[in-house]
Amino acid sequence: MNREIEEQLDLLGQLLSDVQDGQRDKDAAHMAEQVAPLKQINEAPQGTQDSVHCDVSSVMETRPDAGRERRKGAPEVIFGETKETEQILAMARGLLAGTGRAIISRMPARSLEAVRSAFEHYEMRYQEASHMMVIYTPEYNKRVTGGKVGVISAGTSDIPVAEEAAMITEEMGCRVTRIYDVGVAGLHRLIEPLRALLAEDVDAILVVAGMDGALPSVIAGLAPVPVIGVPTSVGYGMGGKGVAALLSMLQTCAPGLTVVNIDNGVGAGITAGMIANRVAHARGQRSQ
């Protein structure tokens, strides 16, 4: 490792240390409140650090980042699709101990019942289409920030990714308005729902589309707010599996359209949530 890299790592370590030192007392008190209901779970991890170390998996230890939302406004999300059931359980326990909530995206079918059983005494929210689950301790207080986000899907086949985005945005405290199945194959379906959405004075709009991926450009050309395009892997043949949709969105001539990767509902939802929450904060500052 060269000296320049070492200096950068030292600087990063100092910055993180400064953040942790400033929040340590507050975090310790918060964690103590959240850990109490978890004592009934024998395997519940102990500790009051932002990053809870759960050495439970038979394959690989897990280090869920319980302090992420306090640091940057976006929560840690457990990507369940590629994880063993034991890893999902360990990370969920760590996040519940640290924040009072665990968000699991793309829950594999093989793990669903085991997770439900392990946390049967907790409040759960599970979305069938997106396979996303959120688990809450009884004491968890859900945020309401005043942020407002619209989520639009081109077709019904795009709804799983749209719901993934919508759920994560809601977990960031935003109010979400959904408009589904209004793609360019029948553009007349879009006009009145979009008019109503814009009348709500939303802060950002997520547009989810596969196939030709044209709808985000249409909406970006009409809406006076940031638009986030989410290509989905709906499609076939040349340019299928989301490739044509992604390239179409990247080549847009409509200003104000930002694009995430194929099927990245979580990334899009977090981005929309961060935009909306900053706008909501500014609205609150102006009204004081």
Side-chain angles (χ1 to χ4, degrees), residues 271-284:
T271 302
M274 293 179 76
I275 292 170
N277 285 340
R278 291 298 295 177
V279 174
H281 177 74
R283 273 197 298 267

Side-chain angles (χ1 to χ4, degrees), residues 30-31 34-35 38 44-45 47 49-54 62-70 74-79 83 87-105 119 122 133-137 140:
H30 175 76
M31 298 266 297
Q34 299 291 356
V35 168
L38 291 173
Q49 300 298 319
D50 274 357
S51 183
V52 181
H53 182 187
C54 311
T62 61
R63 300 178 186 274
D65 187 1
R68 182 174 301 173
E69 190 164 21
R70 288 190 296 275
E76 166 84 288
V77 179
I78 302 167
F79 180 60
K83 290 181 176 60
Q87 290 174 318
I88 294 172
L89 290 171
M91 295 189 75
R93 290 183 182 113
L95 290 175
L96 285 165
T99 70
R101 179 188 62 186
I103 304 172
I104 307 165
S105 70
F119 301 106
Y122 296 83
M133 175 181 283
V134 187
I135 308 168
Y136 311 93
T137 62
Y140 183 77

